[in-house]
Amino acid sequence: MSDEITNEAARPEGRPDGRRANRPEAQPANRPEGRSEDRSEDRSEARMPRWLPRAMVLALALVACYQLAIWGFHQLITLLLNVLIAFFLALAIEPAVDWMAARGVRRGLATGLVFLGILVATVGFFTLLGSMLAGQIATMVQEFPQYLDDVISWINSTLHTRLSRVEVQNNLLKSDWLQNYVQDSANNVLAVSATVLGSLFNLLTVALFSFYFAADGPRLRRALCSVLPPHRQTEVLRAWEIAVAKTGGYLYSRGLMALISGIAHYVLLELMGVPYAPALGMWVGLISQFIPTIGTYLAGALPILIAFTVNPWHALWVFAFVVIYQQFENYLLQPRITAKTVDIHPAVAFGSVVAGTALMGAVGALIAIPATATLQAFLGTYVKRYSVPDDLRVRGRAPRRPAAGLIDRIRGTRHAEQPPSPPSSPATDRNDGNDGNGGNDESGESGAAGGGRGSR
């Protein structure tokens, strides 16, 4: 009984004999395989690439570094210009320092002596001009009423007006532009003081750097060449030597032009009876040559002012001479002297000054010519040159051809361009002979030949 119950329990459900009924097996749901793959691809595409965040961070870092470099360059532009000026000044005084060092003087002491001489000459020059200017200003202020009376009298006699000095002075003192000018000048005192102090600081910076460059020139060259291979060391030393020579030549040319300008203005001022003519000539020569861009106007203003204290017409003549001499110097004198001393073409010298002024202002105009001459001389040592045949076209003249041969070639060309004439008939020859005998005076031989053919 128990065995039957056990067998009954052990039988599978569905059939009494223990066999399982044929049930349809559960089929898996028909899942769209293509859609699942597309979704996985979309998800993979929607994910951010691993390199993109790093690239974005790197780009932002590069932009930040660039902006920081630009900001630092703008902050240090004044210092960089001062160092550049000091370098060229050290190159200019290095021959004198080398000459003293070759005779047993230490380089530091020799550099100090050179700077002391420059300082004494500069202070003496400006002291002389300052005393002269102070005396002339005092004289001009004392005699200003008399000058004003002379000007008013000339205007009244020329233009038939009735001006008076008191009326002119009252109108001048009560004018709005004078009051505004005085007020603006009072408000700008602090700005002017800051500008003066900044200029003095820049001057001391240039002097300090130039002293170190000149005193430690050999040590600086040795330190620079120690990081270069041997063949590069030779090139650097050659470039340094060329820079010293060209900078010295440039200062020599400027000194020569200053001497010529000073003598010319001294002669004019002396002939016109202007006081302090030697000092004024020296002022015009030095300021116009060693202060670029505005030096000409600063140099010409002082002698014009002093000449005005003597006679207003003298001031006008001095102004005209300053303008004419400046044009003569710019277009004739300066290109020739600069080309000989610095050994560059006048057009290249003029273009370098224009380019230097556009890039760095007055500093660029001051150092443009020696820098260009140094670069040209340094590159000239590595440019291979070839011999040129002795040809008239190289000399700038075309080979001459005989005039008779040229005329013959022109005639031959005309005859070649004329079409051949058709053969003439006997009647035509007879008529031509009659016409030739009758009135062709310009060709007697042709008329005679025509007449002979007609008679035959």
Side-chain angles (χ1 to χ4, degrees):
M1 184 88 179
S2 59
D3 294 333
E4 293 178 358
I5 294 172
T6 304
N7 293 331
E8 283 289 12
R11 290 177 183 175
E13 298 180 357
R15 295 186 65 178
D17 55 355
R19 295 179 180 177
R20 292 184 179 179
N22 295 329
R23 295 180 180 178
E25 296 181 358
Q27 297 293 334
N30 295 329
R31 297 179 181 177
E33 298 179 357
R35 293 183 180 178
S36 60
E37 294 178 357
D38 293 340
R39 290 177 181 176
S40 61
E41 291 179 359
D42 294 341
R43 290 178 182 177
S44 62
E45 291 179 357
R47 292 177 182 177
M48 182 182 297
R50 295 180 179 179
W51 58 267
L52 185 58
R54 298 179 181 177
M56 294 176 63
V57 173
L58 181 60
L60 293 176
L62 291 177
V63 172
C65 293
Y66 175 75
Q67 295 294 333
L68 182 62
I70 293 297
W71 176 81
F73 178 77
H74 284 292
Q75 295 296 323
L76 298 176
I77 186 66
T78 304
L79 177 61
L80 295 177
L81 290 178
N82 290 336
V83 172
L84 186 62
I85 296 173
F87 178 73
F88 277 96
L89 182 60
L91 292 179
I93 66 175
E94 188 169 357
V97 176
D98 291 339
W99 182 82
M100 298 176 67
R103 283 156 178 79
V105 183
R106 292 185 303 173
R107 291 192 65 89
L109 180 59
T111 306
L113 292 176
V114 173
F115 271 95
L116 182 61
I118 295 174
L119 179 62
V120 169
T122 304
V123 171
F125 174 70
F126 282 102
T127 301
L128 176 63
L129 290 179
S131 61
M132 178 195 67
L133 183 61
Q136 290 298 319
I137 290 176
T139 303
M140 184 177 178
V141 170
Q142 293 177 359
E143 298 180 356
F144 181 75
Q146 183 63 35
Y147 297 147
L148 188 58
D149 289 339
D150 295 339
V151 173
I152 291 174
S153 300
W154 180 81
I155 293 175
N156 291 334
S157 61
T158 305
L159 304 179
H160 305 286
T161 58
R162 296 181 179 180
L163 297 177
S164 63
R165 187 181 69 182
V166 178
E167 182 180 358
V168 173
Q169 289 178 352
N170 292 333
N171 292 334
L172 182 63
L173 295 175
K174 294 179 181 180
S175 60
D176 295 336
W177 68 269
L178 182 61
Q179 296 177 1
N180 294 332
Y181 177 77
V182 173
Q183 185 177 1
D184 293 340
S185 300
N187 294 331
N188 294 331
V189 170
L190 183 60
V192 173
S193 302
T195 303
V196 172
L197 291 177
S199 301
L200 291 177
F201 179 76
N202 291 333
L203 183 61
L204 292 176
T205 303
V206 170
L208 183 62
F209 275 106
S210 60
F211 178 84
Y212 285 135
F213 287 153
D216 293 339
R219 186 183 305 175
L220 180 61
R221 289 191 289 270
R222 187 180 299 108
L224 183 61
C225 292
S226 62
V227 297
L228 298 174
H231 64 281
R232 297 294 181 185
Q233 295 178 5
T234 305
E235 296 176 0
V236 170
L237 294 177
R238 184 186 297 113
W240 195 291
E241 183 180 0
I242 291 173
V244 171
K246 295 303 179 181
T247 306
Y250 171 72
L251 291 180
Y252 168 75
S253 64
R254 286 292 176 180
L256 182 59
M257 287 190 294
L259 178 63
I260 297 174
S261 176
I263 292 176
H265 287 83
Y266 162 73
V267 171
L268 175 69
L269 297 175
E270 188 69 26
L271 292 177
M272 300 182 70
V274 178
Y276 304 103
L280 288 176
M282 191 189 319
W283 162 267
V284 173
L286 293 177
I287 299 301
S288 62
Q289 299 303 322
F290 291 99
I291 297 182
T293 308
I294 62 173
T296 302
Y297 306 102
L298 293 178
L302 184 59
I304 291 173
L305 181 64
I306 302 300
F308 184 82
T309 60
V310 178
N311 192 341
W313 288 106
H314 288 178
L316 182 61
W317 284 112
V318 172
F319 173 77
F321 181 80
V322 168
V323 172
I324 295 174
Y325 182 82
Q326 186 64 31
Q327 301 303 316
F328 166 75
E329 180 182 284
N330 290 338
Y331 292 100
L332 294 178
L333 186 62
Q334 179 178 353
R336 296 178 182 274
I337 294 179
T338 304
K340 292 181 179 180
T341 55
V342 194
D343 195 19
I344 61 177
H345 194 272
V348 177
F350 180 74
S352 63
V353 171
V354 174
T357 305
L359 292 175
M360 293 184 293
V363 177
L366 185 63
I367 66 175
I369 294 179
T372 304
T374 302
L375 181 62
Q376 179 181 354
F378 183 70
L379 293 178
T381 58
Y382 298 97
V383 176
K384 186 176 181 180
R385 298 183 181 274
Y386 300 92
S387 60
V388 180
D390 190 8
D391 195 344
L392 294 177
R393 290 169 294 183
V394 177
R395 299 178 184 176
R397 294 178 298 176
R400 292 185 177 181
R401 298 177 179 178
L406 180 60
I407 295 175
D408 292 339
R409 283 194 297 273
I410 294 175
R411 289 179 177 177
T413 304
R414 290 181 178 178
H415 289 305
E417 292 177 355
Q418 291 179 357
S421 59
S424 59
S425 60
T428 305
D429 293 338
R430 190 178 295 110
N431 294 332
D432 291 341
N434 295 331
D435 294 337
N437 289 331
N440 193 355
D441 295 335
E442 295 179 358
S443 179
E445 297 177 0
S446 176
R453 287 194 298 270
S455 63
R456 287 195 295 271

